[in-house]
Amino acid sequence: MAGRDGGFQGYVKPFFENLDFHNTEDKNKGIGARLWEHLVATAAWIVKDKSRDQVATRIPFEGKFGDAKVGLFATISNLFRHGFIRAFNPVVEGSVHADNVLPTGKSADGNPVKKNKPDEIPAQTKDAAVPKPRA
C-alpha cells in the first residue's frame, strides 16, 4: 500500500492452503447450512491451483481515506487466473509507489493498480516522468 496527500492505493494477496470445509459437527447442521458449505467448497475447488493445493487472489484497492474502492471484478478474475493460468507467488510485487499516488487515490501515470497483473512489475523507464498532482 502507498499513500500521499490523503489518497492511497495498494493490494492484498490472500493465500489459503489445504482448505477443508467438512468437520465432525456437520451432522448437527441444517440442510441450508450444509448446502451453503458444499457450494463454497465447490467454488473453492474450481478456482484452486491443484498443483499447489491453494486458493489465492489479488485484491486491488484505491481511494481517499473514508472513501475506499475495491476492485471486485479484478479480484474475481484474479481467482481464476491463479487457479487456471498462472499461480501467484506470495511476494510483494513492488508495483505500488507513493510518488505515483494522486490525492484522489488514482495513479498519476494512468496505470491503475487493479490493471497490473499479479507478479508483474509495470514497465517504467528512466525518461518516463510521473505527472505532478495539481495543487
Side-chain angles (χ1 to χ4, degrees):
M1 179 177 163
R4 189 173 95 195
D5 297 330
F8 62 88
Q9 59 183 224
Y11 62 88
V12 176
K13 282 170 57 173
F15 286 80
F16 302 96
E17 295 180 346
N18 305 317
L19 289 176
D20 183 13
F21 291 94
H22 300 30
N23 66 42
T24 56
E25 298 175 11
D26 280 347
K27 297 172 189 164
N28 300 331
K29 290 183 180 177
I31 186 99
R34 282 193 265 161
L35 284 173
W36 177 251
E37 237 178 47
H38 285 290
L39 179 68
V40 171
T42 301
W45 180 83
I46 290 171
V47 296
K48 177 171 70 171
D49 178 67
K50 310 305 188 262
S51 64
R52 293 185 181 187
D53 192 25
Q54 71 181 196
V55 175
T57 190
R58 182 179 184 270
I59 305 169
F61 55 86
E62 68 180 21
K64 297 184 295 187
F65 291 99
D67 185 26
K69 294 173 182 64
V70 176
L72 181 62
F73 179 72
T75 300
I76 293 169
S77 65
N78 285 333
L79 272 169
F80 286 97
R81 181 178 170 83
H82 174 77
F84 295 105
I85 298 171
R86 180 176 170 210
F88 302 157
N89 293 316
V91 297
V92 176
E93 301 163 9
S95 61
V96 179
H97 305 283
D99 60 347
N100 191 36
V101 180
L102 295 174
T104 61
K106 301 286 183 189
S107 293
D109 66 4
N111 296 321
V113 173
K114 65 184 174 187
K115 298 228 179 190
N116 291 344
K117 291 185 179 174
D119 296 333
E120 293 178 6
I121 298 172
Q124 294 182 357
T125 62
K126 287 193 284 185
D127 300 330
V130 175
K132 300 292 181 201
R134 296 180 190 159

